[in-house]
């Protein structure tokens, strides 16, 4: 099973950062919470800090576990480990994505999501209503 970390990055207005996978990548055209594969011996927090620097050229401050979701894509099963993180303002430069947006939790249902991310979208939607 492949371990992958995802960051639920929040800005000061309560919006979360979402990104669309660019053409040529697995899950191309689908939206996700940014992150990536854990390297051997790496914690989810370390992975997220490294991956966000590599993929978006930003620094984040992960602060709380948001849960895990195991998803079988057929050719690979992943364990997606989500963490809430604070946005440290900077200029976003995309490498693995072709678009990003800051979205209110109530807007998340309007995006076409990578299947492994959907339980986290649902959890954010429930939080925004409750």
């Amino acid at each position: 099973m492949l371990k992958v970390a995802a960051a639920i990055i929040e800005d000061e207005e309560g919006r979360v950062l979402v990104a669309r996978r660019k053409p040529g990548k697995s899950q191309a055209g689908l939206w996700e919470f940014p992150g990536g594969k854990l390297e051997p011996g790496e914690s989810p927090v370390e992975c997220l800090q490294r991956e966000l620097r590599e993929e978006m050229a930003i620094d984040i401050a992960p602060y709380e576990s948001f849960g895990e979701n195991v998803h079988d894509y057929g050719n690979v099963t992943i364990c997606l480990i989500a963490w809430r993180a604070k946005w440290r303002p900077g200029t976003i430069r995309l490498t693995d994505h072709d678009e990003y947006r800051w979205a209110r939790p109530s807007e998340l249902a309007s995006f076409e999501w990578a299947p492994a991310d959907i339980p986290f979208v649902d959890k954010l939607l429930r939080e925004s209503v409750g």
Side-chain angles (χ1 to χ4, degrees):
M1 182 176 319
L2 189 61
K3 289 192 172 193
V4 180
I8 313 292
I9 304 167
E10 304 156 328
D11 71 3
E12 55 285 336
E13 296 177 37
R15 300 174 302 175
V16 294
L17 182 64
V18 299
R20 187 174 65 192
R21 302 283 293 173
K22 72 180 181 182
K25 294 282 185 180
S26 65
Q27 309 291 314
L30 298 179
W31 291 84
E32 67 179 1
F33 297 109
K37 298 180 207 77
L38 273 75
E39 300 289 341
E42 190 175 49
S43 74
V45 168
E46 292 167 331
C47 172
L48 288 171
Q49 290 171 325
R50 175 184 54 77
E51 286 283 350
L52 272 292
R53 272 187 228 106
E54 290 173 5
E55 292 185 0
M56 296 185 147
I58 60 171
D59 286 317
I60 61 167
Y63 69 90
E64 179 180 68
S65 173
F66 195 66
E68 295 184 7
N69 178 43
V70 174
H71 187 82
D72 183 356
Y73 279 106
N75 59 336
V76 65
T77 299
I78 70 166
C79 176
L80 188 60
I81 305 162
W83 274 75
R84 287 187 185 268
K86 290 292 182 192
W87 162 248
R88 291 188 174 154
T91 302
I92 294 175
R93 290 188 301 278
L94 302 177
T95 59
D96 281 8
H97 303 92
D98 64 359
E99 190 173 341
Y100 74 89
R101 292 200 192 136
W102 287 101
R104 301 213 171 280
S106 60
E107 299 169 327
L108 295 177
S110 66
F111 294 88
E112 187 178 353
W113 288 92
D117 289 73
I118 291 172
F120 302 124
V121 172
D122 292 342
K123 186 174 178 180
L124 286 166
L125 287 169
R126 284 193 306 273
E127 285 181 5
S128 73
V129 182

